[in-house]
Structure formats: C-alpha cells, structure tokens
Amino acid sequence: QPSWKIRRRVIFATLIFCASVIAWCLYKGVDSAIASTAINMAFLTGSGVVGSYVFGAVWQDNKRI
C-alpha cells in the first residue's frame, strides 16, 4: 500500500498539470472548441483528483477505527 507521501506527489503533479493546461490555453488566447474542451476536462480532472484524495483519506481513517 503506497504511503501518503507518494500519493500527495502524484496528486500535486496532476493538479500542476491541470493548472498549466488551463494557464496555457488562457495565455495563448486560444478560442476553439478543442481549447474549451481541454479547459473543461482539466477542471473535471482536478476536481476528481481532489475529491478522490479527500475520499481516500476519510476511507482510510474509517478503516482504522
């Protein structure tokens, strides 16, 4: 079972990637359906990662009790 240190690294790397995709699309001023989809998917991926992180922490804490 991987430690939380490794999980946090993966989570932060994923969130940094999502933020960089959004920043790149906004910085370049790309106005297309592909850029819009990329931004939407980056937000959804980031939200899913944060939700999974919180749910995983709660699940693991409840298993200890």
Side-chain angles (χ1 to χ4, degrees):
Q1 179 173 0
S3 70
W4 279 101
K5 184 177 181 180
I6 296 171
R7 292 177 192 172
R8 276 192 295 272
R9 285 183 186 169
V10 171
I11 290 165
F12 289 143
T14 305
L15 292 176
I16 289 170
F17 174 75
C18 290
S20 64
V21 167
I22 294 168
W24 184 81
C25 287
L26 294 176
Y27 177 73
K28 288 291 186 177
V30 181
D31 189 24
S32 66
I34 294 173
S36 176
T37 302
I39 290 173
N40 287 336
M41 291 300 115
F43 272 115
L44 287 174
T45 302
S47 300
V49 165
V50 170
S52 298
Y53 177 75
V54 171
F55 179 73
V58 170
W59 182 277
Q60 189 172 15
D61 284 345
N62 283 339
K63 281 179 67 175
R64 289 183 191 169
I65 297 174

